Amino acid sequence: MNTTMLPLNPIDWDSLDATGRAAVLRRPTAAVAVEVRTAVERVIAQVRADGDVALRALTRRFDGVELGAFAVGEDEFAAAERAVDDGLKRAMREARERIVAWHRAGMPREFEIETAPGVRCGRLLRPIARVGLYVPAGSAPLPSTALMLAVPAKLAGCRELVLCTPPRADGRADPAVLVAARLCGVDRVLKLGGAQAIAAMAYGTESVPRCDKLFGPGNAYVTAAKQLVAQDPDGAAIDMPAGPSEVLVIADAGADPDFVAADLLSQAEHGPDSQVILVSDSDQLLAAVLDALPRQLSTLPRADIARRALEHARLVKVARLEDAFALSNAYAPEHLILALREPRNWLDQVEAAGSVFLGDYAPEALGDYCSGTNHVLPTGGAARAYSGVSVASFQTAISVQEVGAEGLRAIGPCAATLARAEALAAHERAVTLRIGRIGGAA
Ligand code: HSO
Ligand code: ZN
C-alpha cells in the first residue's frame, strides 16, 4: 500500500469520545480572520466614498490592471463568442437545458385557500428586482457558476441580472464566463472582483447599479464582504453564508476505490482549504482508497492544491453504516456522496446536506456542471438550516388575505380573545368596532 505521500490514517470512530468526535468534524476555518475583515471594511468604505474612482484604484492594486470601463462591451462579447470553441458552447447549452428543467420543476407556486367561510388567504410571488451575481475567476474561472446563478434568476423573473467577475491581467473577462452569461440572459457584466465587486453591487457606483441581493461563491474576501454588506441595512441581502467547498463520501465494501478517490480529489483540487471526508464501514475500502489517492494525485495538474487540501482530509472507519449517517448529519456537508449498494434505501437517514449523490455513477462533478441541480450550496455546516440556491432564492413571497363581513364574523371573536390576552386594546377594538358595525357577537 502506498500511503507515503499522504499523512492520512483512518480514524476509528468507535474509539473516540464525544470531544474526539467533535474534533474530527470541526472545520478549520471557523471565523473570518481579523486581518481579512479589516481589509474588507476598508475596501467597502473606499467604494462607498469614491465610487468608480475607488474601483479603478482597487482593481489596479488587486488585479494588476488599469481598466477604462468596467462594463463588458459588445466587442468583448463578440470576441468571447469567437474564442470559445463549439464543443464548449454546446456543452453549456446542454447543461443549461437540464438546469432550467430542474429549477423550473422546483419553482415555488402561488396559492390561495379559504381558511374560514369568507376568509381567503393566499401567497403571491414577486421576483427580486435587481440581483448581483458573483462569478469567481481566481485560479480557475468558473463559467458553470454563471449558469447556476443566472438560470434560476431568469426563471424567477428578476428584472435585471448584474454579473461581476474579476478581470484577467490583459483587462478582459474570461471568455467562457461571458458566453455563459450571454447564454442565460445576463443584462450586464462588469469586470470587478473581490470585496470591491461586492461593495459596488451592494451600494452602487457610477457604473455599477445597486443590487437588492447578492449571490455566488468567492474567496475569503468576497465572503467577508458579503457578510458585512448583509449586516448593513443600507447594504444588500445575500444568498447564504459561504465557506470553502466540501464533500463527504459514505462508501461501503462494494464501492469502487478509484471512483471514491477521484471524487475526493475533485473536491480537493478546488482549493487548499477544501474539506474532504471519507467514511466507511470497510477497512479494505479505506485502504484501497488510500492506495489510489497518491496514484491519481500524481497525474493532476492541480496536484499541489489537492495535496494541501488532503493534508487536512479525514478518513473515518465506522462499525455500522448507521454511524456514518449520524456523523454526516452532525457535519452537514455541502455535498454528500452515497457510494453504497442500495443508496436510495439510505436516503431517509439524510437529515442535513446541501446536495446528495446516489450510487457509484453519480460523481459530484455531474452536479457541479450538468445533472440539473444547483452547485451553489450551503457550506460550513450551514446545510443544517440553509438550502442550495434555487428559483425561490430570487423571489419574495407576499401573503395576502381578503375578508368580507361573513369572514369577520367568523374569525373576529378569535382575534379579539387573543388581543385581550395580550392586553392590546387597540387590536381588540379594530375587530370589535367592525363587528359592532355589521352586527354580530365578539
Ligand atoms: N464544487 C463546486 C462547484 C464547481 N465545481 C464549479 C466545478 N466548477 C462547489 O459546489
Ligand atoms: Zn466542484
Side-chain angles (χ1 to χ4, degrees):
M1 187 168 56
N2 173 16
T3 57
T4 47
M5 288 168 66
L6 295 169
L8 280 179
N9 279 314
I11 300 159
D12 181 18
W13 193 242
D14 272 358
S15 70
L16 300 174
D17 60 9
T19 320
R21 290 180 176 186
V24 169
L25 299 184
R26 191 164 303 127
R27 290 153 167 102
T29 47
V32 177
V34 192
E35 315 84 74
V36 172
R37 194 192 158 100
T38 315
V40 167
E41 278 169 346
R42 205 169 299 140
V43 165
I44 292 175
Q46 212 177 325
V47 172
R48 288 188 78 174
D50 300 329
D52 280 1
V53 171
L55 292 180
R56 210 154 278 125
L58 291 162
T59 302
R60 196 183 308 124
R61 177 151 115 229
F62 294 121
D63 302 292
V65 43
E66 188 72 44
L67 287 183
F70 302 109
V72 172
E74 276 316 312
D75 287 355
E76 192 176 344
F77 276 117
E81 288 293 338
R82 290 191 299 274
V84 173
D85 70 65
D86 287 342
L88 177 52
K89 281 186 199 150
R90 263 197 305 278
M92 285 191 203
R93 280 197 293 268
E94 184 189 319
R96 182 185 164 278
E97 268 174 40
R98 280 188 292 271
I99 298 165
V100 167
W102 185 81
H103 286 78
R104 181 175 281 143
M107 279 172 75
R109 44 172 201 90
E110 298 188 333
F111 65 87
E112 187 171 274
I113 64 161
E114 203 171 49
T115 59
V119 181
R120 300 197 62 77
C121 295
R123 177 175 73 183
L124 306 175
L125 297 171
R126 293 288 182 268
I128 296 174
R130 194 190 277 142
V131 292
L133 317 178
Y134 187 80
V135 176
S139 67
L142 303 178
S144 56
T145 300
L147 301 178
M148 295 294 175
L149 296 176
V151 165
K154 269 282 167 197
L155 284 172
C158 297
R159 186 157 36 85
E160 193 175 349
L161 278 59
V162 176
L163 187 151
C164 279
T165 194
R168 303 185 305 197
D170 66 359
R172 306 222 146 203
D174 178 76
V177 169
L178 294 185
V179 169
R182 265 289 156 93
L183 179 64
C184 299
V186 168
D187 300 287
R188 250 193 270 203
V189 178
L190 297 147
K191 289 177 279 189
L192 285 168
Q196 60 274 24
I198 300 302
M201 291 192 284
Y203 298 102
T205 70
E206 297 87 329
S207 57
V208 186
R210 180 179 177 170
C211 301
D212 302 298
K213 187 170 179 183
L214 310 183
F215 295 80
N219 61 20
Y221 294 89
V222 169
T223 302
K226 280 174 69 184
Q227 277 169 13
L228 287 169
V229 304
Q231 280 161 21
D232 179 1
D234 292 331
I238 59 167
D239 48 359
M240 67 183 88
S245 193
E246 52 198 35
V247 69
L248 189 148
V249 181
I250 300 179
D252 61 16
D256 185 313
D258 291 330
F259 294 178
V260 173
D263 290 346
L264 298 177
L265 287 168
S266 69
Q267 188 56 59
E269 77 173 346
H270 269 297
D273 53 2
S274 280
Q275 305 286 302
V276 171
I277 302 183
L278 170 62
V279 190
S280 180
D281 59 347
S282 160
D283 287 314
Q284 288 75 19
L285 185 276
L286 288 168
V289 173
L290 264 179
D291 197 44
L293 276 174
R295 265 190 285 114
Q296 290 193 25
L297 186 60
S298 62
T299 65
L300 289 176
R302 290 165 71 91
D304 282 345
I305 294 173
R307 189 175 291 111
R308 281 163 63 201
L310 288 180
E311 276 165 19
H312 50 83
R314 304 268 195 259
L315 267 59
V316 184
K317 165 75 196 316
V318 288
R320 294 164 303 274
L321 283 175
E322 284 79 0
D323 301 338
F325 284 89
L327 182 165
S328 174
N329 289 330
Y331 181 77
E334 179 190 17
H335 305 96
L336 173 61
I337 299 181
L338 303 184
L340 302 172
R341 294 323 86 207
E342 297 292 344
R344 215 166 247 286
N345 295 349
W346 291 95
L347 212 41
D348 283 352
Q349 307 243 350
V350 178
E351 285 163 11
S355 194
V356 184
F357 299 78
L358 297 183
D360 295 330
Y361 303 108
E364 186 203 309
L366 294 185
D368 283 351
Y369 293 121
C370 65
S371 63
T373 63
N374 207 288
H375 80 203
V376 181
L377 297 164
T379 56
R384 274 186 281 274
Y386 286 84
S387 318
V389 161
S390 69
V391 176
S393 318
F394 293 89
Q395 293 174 323
T396 56
I398 304 173
S399 54
V400 52
Q401 44 248 287
E402 185 178 20
V403 184
E406 182 201 10
L408 178 70
R409 244 181 240 118
I411 70 168
C414 175
T417 303
L418 290 165
R420 272 195 298 278
E422 294 187 351
L424 293 174
H427 285 64
E428 183 185 358
R429 184 182 301 151
V431 175
T432 53
L433 186 71
R434 287 179 168 83
I435 293 180
R437 220 34 99 69
I438 60 176

